[in-house]
Every structure is written in C-alpha cells, then in structure tokens.
C-alpha cells in the first residue's frame, strides 16, 4: 500500500504544482501588463529585452511560481491527510528521505 500511496501522492502533488504554476503565470502576465503597459518578455535572455526588464521579470516569475507551487502542494497535502488520515509518504516524519 505504501508504494501505491506514494505514487498517488506524486501524481497529486505534481498536478497541484503544475496547476498552481499555470494560474500564477496567468496572474503575473496580467499584472505585468497592467503595471508596465507592455506584454511580459517572452524570453528574458533575448538581447533585445532591456536588462532591467529581464531581471525584474525573472525575479518576479521565479518567486511567484515557487510560492504558488509550495502553497498548492501544501493544500494537496492537507487534502491527502483529510482523505487518508495520514500525511503523504514523503512528508511523514518517520519516512527516510530516499524511500
């Protein structure tokens, strides 16, 4: 059962993280356009993108996507806990890191 629940958690956690990242990206795009009046840079590494814009976009998206991903995974862990009565296998205190 532990192997199955670990796989279920992996899929559940991944789906939550990807969904959260997609929502964050849409919100960031809209916020960038509202704040700057321009579309966000498609590729910050492009030399035609001003360096301040590339750095601001990379820092903003990196931090926001990481934060939303973490929050989505925490929400998924809480749902898993309520559904099964225990934490997902990787979050259990007695689970070795390489299990």
């Amino acid at each position: 059962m532990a192997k199955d629940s670990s796989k279920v958690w992996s899929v559940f956690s991944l789906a939550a993280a990807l969904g959260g990242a997609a929502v964050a990206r849409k919100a960031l795009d809209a916020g960038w356009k509202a704040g700057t009046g321009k579309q966000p840079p498609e590729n910050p590494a492009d030399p035609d993108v001003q360096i301040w814009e590339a750095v601001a976009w990379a820092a903003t998206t990196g931090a926001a996507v990481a934060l939303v991903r973490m929050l989505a995974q925490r929400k998924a862990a809480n749902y898993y806990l309520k559904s099964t009565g225990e934490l997902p296998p990787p979050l259990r205190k007695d689970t070795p890191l390489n299990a």
Side-chain angles (χ1 to χ4, degrees):
M1 175 68 177
K3 287 272 189 208
D4 288 341
S5 64
S6 183
K7 288 179 185 177
V8 167
W9 167 248
S10 293
V11 170
F12 195 58
S13 174
L14 178 63
L18 291 175
V23 169
R25 180 61 193 253
K26 281 189 173 270
L28 286 168
D29 286 352
W32 185 270
K33 185 165 178 155
T36 66
K38 301 182 337 183
Q39 291 293 334
E42 285 187 34
N43 183 358
D46 184 344
D48 290 336
V49 175
Q50 293 180 6
I51 189 70
W52 72 266
E53 189 175 26
V55 169
W57 180 247
T60 302
T61 57
V65 169
L67 178 63
V68 169
R69 238 182 103 195
M70 183 269 305
L71 292 172
Q73 287 178 322
R74 288 177 62 98
K75 190 82 163 166
N78 282 331
Y79 179 78
Y80 187 98
L81 176 62
K82 288 178 184 175
S83 298
T84 65
E86 59 187 13
L87 286 171
L91 299 180
R92 293 180 193 146
K93 303 288 187 256
D94 60 348
T95 304
L97 294 177
N98 60 0

